Amino acid sequence: NNESIFKFGSIAVNCNPITNGHLHLIEYAAKSVEFLYVLVIEEDKSRFSFKDRIYLVKKACSHLNNVKVIKGGKFVCTEYILPEYFYKDKYNSEDIDISMEAYFFGEHIAPALGIKKIFLGDEPICKVTNSYNKQMYRMMKNYSIDTEIIDRISTNDGELISASTVRKLLDQQKFIQLKKFLPLKIIDDVIGIYFQ
């Protein structure tokens, strides 16, 4: 019954691992379109392997009937397309060029999946991601794809939700604190995967 022209949308995520922040973005996007593709970045350059990341995303999103979690493939934020993403801590500059990623997504991926809207998570800290968002917002207009940047959420006590914080808590074995940052149904999986 949704009369919006944005029937199909997508959101690309790395989720190293998926947090309540990621889940908030996905749930928000899922309410904004009839059907949402969640494209999990396929590169194996994260602390959690691609196989584990996509498993955790699927489990965390299992309650969302209009969401399909799929592989990002070779042209969604891969080292070949956007190497700076994988060296953000060292690089951390807005001087990146995402035109190749925008081209492949706008010209090939979006039409194949019928995507008319994409969602991005606001990034106030990382310059690479911030620049990516700004450029995608501008470039997707060339392909008649709407772009929405969703505000980041914090914990109830105002702490920024991030996967890097989760990994630090895991390193410190502060498992009880994970409840503030992770979907409850994946906490045991995250701990098991991290220490396997």
Side-chain angles (χ1 to χ4, degrees):
N1 295 326
N2 184 354
E3 294 182 5
S4 168
I5 60 165
F6 306 121
K7 291 185 178 181
F8 293 92
S10 73
I11 185 168
V13 293
N14 192 38
C15 293
N16 184 33
I18 186 169
T19 64
N20 287 330
H22 294 115
L23 189 56
H24 165 75
L25 299 178
I26 293 166
E27 288 175 338
Y28 176 95
K31 288 176 184 172
S32 303
V33 292
E34 287 186 21
F35 192 85
L36 181 74
Y37 290 102
V38 177
L39 302 152
V40 181
I41 294 170
E42 204 167 341
E43 288 283 19
D44 250 329
K45 297 195 172 292
S46 302
R47 174 61 180 84
F48 286 80
S49 70
F50 168 70
K51 177 184 161 194
D52 291 332
R53 286 184 291 108
I54 197 166
Y55 163 77
L56 292 169
V57 174
K58 284 180 178 180
K59 186 168 183 178
C61 295
S62 61
H63 62 291
L64 300 170
N65 295 326
N66 67 329
V67 168
K68 176 80 172 169
V69 179
I70 61 174
K71 297 177 179 182
K74 300 298 180 192
F75 299 100
V76 175
C77 203
T78 61
E79 188 173 25
Y80 170 68
I81 295 290
L82 190 63
E84 296 92 346
Y85 180 83
F86 300 95
Y87 305 100
K88 289 189 283 191
D89 294 339
K90 293 178 184 176
Y91 191 73
N92 204 18
S93 167
E94 291 193 354
D95 185 24
I96 62 170
D97 179 4
I98 70 150
S99 57
M100 203 166 21
E101 170 143 352
Y103 165 77
F104 280 113
F105 187 84
E107 195 70 33
H108 299 286
I109 297 169
L113 298 176
I115 294 167
K116 292 292 184 186
K117 183 167 187 172
I118 64 167
F119 300 87
L120 304 166
D122 181 44
E123 180 47 74
I125 298 168
C126 174
K127 292 180 182 177
V128 171
T129 305
N130 189 275
S131 179
Y132 176 94
N133 286 354
K134 288 177 183 174
Q135 291 183 60
M136 281 296 274
Y137 190 89
R138 188 177 71 249
M139 292 180 186
M140 286 300 98
K141 292 176 183 174
N142 298 330
Y143 302 98
S144 300
I145 296 171
D146 191 57
T147 305
E148 183 173 351
I149 299 176
I150 306 165
D151 288 339
R152 182 184 279 248
I153 61 166
S154 301
T155 62
N156 290 338
D157 51 5
E159 213 172 335
L160 198 65
I161 297 176
S162 75
S164 59
T165 300
V166 169
R167 295 192 301 274
K168 285 177 190 170
L169 291 173
L170 287 164
D171 285 337
Q172 297 163 2
Q173 298 190 18
K174 294 181 177 177
F175 303 135
I176 293 172
Q177 291 186 37
L178 292 173
K179 291 179 182 177
K180 294 195 299 185
F181 299 95
L182 293 175
L184 293 178
K185 63 178 149 184
I186 65 160
I187 290 177
D188 289 341
D189 292 293
V190 168
I191 294 168
I193 290 166
Y194 199 78
F195 291 101
Q196 66 184 359

